[in-house]
PDB file of all heavy atoms in Angstrom:
ATOM      1  N   LYS A  61     125.797 138.287  52.389  1.00 98.00           N
ATOM      2  CA  LYS A  61     126.806 139.269  52.728  1.00 98.00           C
ATOM      3  C   LYS A  61     126.344 140.188  53.892  1.00 98.00           C
ATOM      4  O   LYS A  61     126.509 141.367  53.866  1.00 98.00           O
ATOM      5  CB  LYS A  61     127.157 140.137  51.519  1.00 98.00           C
ATOM      6  CG  LYS A  61     127.780 139.306  50.360  1.00 98.00           C
ATOM      7  CD  LYS A  61     128.417 140.239  49.330  1.00 98.00           C
ATOM      8  CE  LYS A  61     129.299 139.511  48.328  1.00 98.00           C
ATOM      9  NZ  LYS A  61     128.522 138.676  47.340  1.00 98.00           N
ATOM     10  N   LEU A  62     125.766 139.517  54.843  1.00 98.00           N
ATOM     11  CA  LEU A  62     125.290 140.176  56.041  1.00 98.00           C
ATOM     12  C   LEU A  62     126.053 139.640  57.226  1.00 98.00           C
ATOM     13  O   LEU A  62     126.549 138.484  57.228  1.00 98.00           O
ATOM     14  CB  LEU A  62     123.831 139.997  56.249  1.00 98.00           C
ATOM     15  CG  LEU A  62     122.866 140.558  55.169  1.00 98.00           C
ATOM     16  CD1 LEU A  62     121.412 140.210  55.444  1.00 98.00           C
ATOM     17  CD2 LEU A  62     123.033 142.065  55.094  1.00 98.00           C
ATOM     18  N   ASP A  63     126.147 140.459  58.286  1.00 97.00           N
ATOM     19  CA  ASP A  63     126.832 140.020  59.532  1.00 97.00           C
ATOM     20  C   ASP A  63     125.839 140.076  60.643  1.00 97.00           C
ATOM     21  O   ASP A  63     124.944 140.900  60.729  1.00 97.00           O
ATOM     22  CB  ASP A  63     128.016 140.925  59.828  1.00 97.00           C
ATOM     23  CG  ASP A  63     129.239 140.412  59.257  1.00 97.00           C
ATOM     24  OD1 ASP A  63     129.418 139.198  59.116  1.00 97.00           O
ATOM     25  OD2 ASP A  63     130.197 141.213  58.938  1.00 97.00           O
ATOM     26  N   LEU A  64     126.050 139.152  61.591  1.00 98.00           N
ATOM     27  CA  LEU A  64     125.345 139.137  62.802  1.00 98.00           C
ATOM     28  C   LEU A  64     126.248 139.862  63.844  1.00 98.00           C
ATOM     29  O   LEU A  64     127.389 139.578  63.925  1.00 98.00           O
ATOM     30  CB  LEU A  64     125.118 137.649  63.203  1.00 98.00           C
ATOM     31  CG  LEU A  64     123.942 137.318  64.146  1.00 98.00           C
ATOM     32  CD1 LEU A  64     122.671 137.740  63.535  1.00 98.00           C
ATOM     33  CD2 LEU A  64     123.936 135.819  64.346  1.00 98.00           C
ATOM     34  N   THR A  65     125.581 140.728  64.612  1.00 97.00           N
ATOM     35  CA  THR A  65     126.361 141.452  65.653  1.00 97.00           C
ATOM     36  C   THR A  65     125.594 141.435  66.956  1.00 97.00           C
ATOM     37  O   THR A  65     124.373 141.312  66.942  1.00 97.00           O
ATOM     38  CB  THR A  65     126.678 142.897  65.252  1.00 97.00           C
ATOM     39  OG1 THR A  65     125.495 143.662  65.314  1.00 97.00           O
ATOM     40  CG2 THR A  65     127.274 142.975  63.819  1.00 97.00           C
ATOM     41  N   VAL A  66     126.352 141.581  68.050  1.00 98.00           N
ATOM     42  CA  VAL A  66     125.764 141.680  69.343  1.00 98.00           C
ATOM     43  C   VAL A  66     126.029 143.037  69.866  1.00 98.00           C
ATOM     44  O   VAL A  66     127.166 143.533  69.847  1.00 98.00           O
ATOM     45  CB  VAL A  66     126.304 140.638  70.325  1.00 98.00           C
ATOM     46  CG1 VAL A  66     125.796 140.850  71.713  1.00 98.00           C
ATOM     47  CG2 VAL A  66     125.935 139.220  69.814  1.00 98.00           C
ATOM     48  N   VAL A  67     124.982 143.724  70.265  1.00 97.00           N
ATOM     49  CA  VAL A  67     125.137 145.088  70.808  1.00 97.00           C
ATOM     50  C   VAL A  67     124.385 145.227  72.100  1.00 97.00           C
ATOM     51  O   VAL A  67     123.409 144.498  72.349  1.00 97.00           O
ATOM     52  CB  VAL A  67     124.624 146.182  69.818  1.00 97.00           C
ATOM     53  CG1 VAL A  67     125.428 146.066  68.511  1.00 97.00           C
ATOM     54  CG2 VAL A  67     123.106 145.961  69.540  1.00 97.00           C
ATOM     55  N   SER A  68     124.797 146.190  72.885  1.00 96.00           N
ATOM     56  CA  SER A  68     124.100 146.480  74.133  1.00 96.00           C
ATOM     57  C   SER A  68     122.647 146.971  73.810  1.00 96.00           C
ATOM     58  O   SER A  68     122.456 147.612  72.804  1.00 96.00           O
ATOM     59  CB  SER A  68     124.851 147.559  74.908  1.00 96.00           C
ATOM     60  OG  SER A  68     124.083 148.004  75.940  1.00 96.00           O
ATOM     61  N   ARG A  69     121.742 146.669  74.660  1.00 92.00           N
ATOM     62  CA  ARG A  69     120.369 147.027  74.408  1.00 92.00           C
ATOM     63  C   ARG A  69     120.045 148.461  74.592  1.00 92.00           C
ATOM     64  O   ARG A  69     119.228 148.991  73.854  1.00 92.00           O
ATOM     65  CB  ARG A  69     119.456 146.171  75.346  1.00 92.00           C
ATOM     66  CG  ARG A  69     118.370 145.466  74.570  1.00 92.00           C
ATOM     67  CD  ARG A  69     117.622 144.508  75.370  1.00 92.00           C
ATOM     68  NE  ARG A  69     117.502 143.257  74.604  1.00 92.00           N
ATOM     69  CZ  ARG A  69     116.458 142.464  74.720  1.00 92.00           C
ATOM     70  NH1 ARG A  69     115.499 142.697  75.561  1.00 92.00           N
ATOM     71  NH2 ARG A  69     116.338 141.366  73.986  1.00 92.00           N
ATOM     72  N   ARG A  70     120.697 149.091  75.528  1.00 68.00           N
ATOM     73  CA  ARG A  70     120.386 150.492  75.764  1.00 68.00           C
ATOM     74  C   ARG A  70     121.044 151.392  74.719  1.00 68.00           C
ATOM     75  O   ARG A  70     120.556 152.482  74.386  1.00 68.00           O
ATOM     76  CB  ARG A  70     120.810 150.923  77.118  1.00 68.00           C
ATOM     77  CG  ARG A  70     122.280 150.758  77.425  1.00 68.00           C
ATOM     78  CD  ARG A  70     122.494 150.765  78.955  1.00 68.00           C
ATOM     79  NE  ARG A  70     121.604 149.836  79.591  1.00 68.00           N
ATOM     80  CZ  ARG A  70     121.551 149.619  80.905  1.00 68.00           C
ATOM     81  NH1 ARG A  70     122.261 150.347  81.748  1.00 68.00           N
ATOM     82  NH2 ARG A  70     120.777 148.715  81.454  1.00 68.00           N
ATOM     83  N   LYS A  71     122.123 150.860  74.144  1.00 52.00           N
ATOM     84  CA  LYS A  71     122.845 151.674  73.122  1.00 52.00           C
ATOM     85  C   LYS A  71     122.110 151.595  71.807  1.00 52.00           C
ATOM     86  O   LYS A  71     122.363 150.713  70.984  1.00 52.00           O
ATOM     87  CB  LYS A  71     124.260 151.144  72.947  1.00 52.00           C
ATOM     88  CG  LYS A  71     125.058 151.998  71.956  1.00 52.00           C
ATOM     89  CD  LYS A  71     126.410 151.336  71.557  1.00 52.00           C
ATOM     90  CE  LYS A  71     127.344 151.169  72.682  1.00 52.00           C
ATOM     91  NZ  LYS A  71     128.588 150.546  72.253  1.00 52.00           N
ATOM     92  N   ALA A  72     121.149 152.504  71.589  1.00 52.00           N
ATOM     93  CA  ALA A  72     120.372 152.486  70.328  1.00 52.00           C
ATOM     94  C   ALA A  72     121.109 153.337  69.313  1.00 52.00           C
ATOM     95  O   ALA A  72     120.714 154.482  69.049  1.00 52.00           O
ATOM     96  CB  ALA A  72     118.962 152.995  70.594  1.00 52.00           C
ATOM     97  N   SER A  73     122.166 152.808  68.807  1.00 52.00           N
ATOM     98  CA  SER A  73     122.986 153.584  67.915  1.00 52.00           C
ATOM     99  C   SER A  73     122.564 153.534  66.457  1.00 52.00           C
ATOM    100  O   SER A  73     122.145 152.479  65.966  1.00 52.00           O
ATOM    101  CB  SER A  73     124.449 153.123  68.007  1.00 52.00           C
ATOM    102  OG  SER A  73     124.519 151.734  67.710  1.00 52.00           O
ATOM    103  N   PHE A  74     122.634 154.637  65.778  1.00 61.00           N
ATOM    104  CA  PHE A  74     122.363 154.699  64.351  1.00 61.00           C
ATOM    105  C   PHE A  74     123.683 154.356  63.622  1.00 61.00           C
ATOM    106  O   PHE A  74     124.731 154.968  63.913  1.00 61.00           O
ATOM    107  CB  PHE A  74     121.898 156.083  63.950  1.00 61.00           C
ATOM    108  CG  PHE A  74     121.830 156.254  62.465  1.00 61.00           C
ATOM    109  CD1 PHE A  74     120.802 155.633  61.743  1.00 61.00           C
ATOM    110  CD2 PHE A  74     122.698 157.054  61.784  1.00 61.00           C
ATOM    111  CE1 PHE A  74     120.706 155.704  60.363  1.00 61.00           C
ATOM    112  CE2 PHE A  74     122.593 157.160  60.411  1.00 61.00           C
ATOM    113  CZ  PHE A  74     121.614 156.542  59.697  1.00 61.00           C
ATOM    114  N   ASP A  75     123.645 153.425  62.755  1.00 57.00           N
ATOM    115  CA  ASP A  75     124.784 152.960  62.021  1.00 57.00           C
ATOM    116  C   ASP A  75     124.682 153.354  60.532  1.00 57.00           C
ATOM    117  O   ASP A  75     123.915 152.747  59.799  1.00 57.00           O
ATOM    118  CB  ASP A  75     124.934 151.457  62.166  1.00 57.00           C
ATOM    119  CG  ASP A  75     126.157 150.932  61.460  1.00 57.00           C
ATOM    120  OD1 ASP A  75     126.874 151.775  60.777  1.00 57.00           O
ATOM    121  OD2 ASP A  75     126.524 149.783  61.636  1.00 57.00           O
TER     122      ASP A  75
END
Side-chain angles (χ1 to χ4, degrees):
Chain A
K61 299 193 168 72
L62 296 175
D63 268 331
L64 205 57
T65 72
V66 172
V67 300
S68 168
R69 232 170 224 212
R70 60 198 54 182
K71 186 194 292 181
S73 58
F74 171 71
D75 182 351

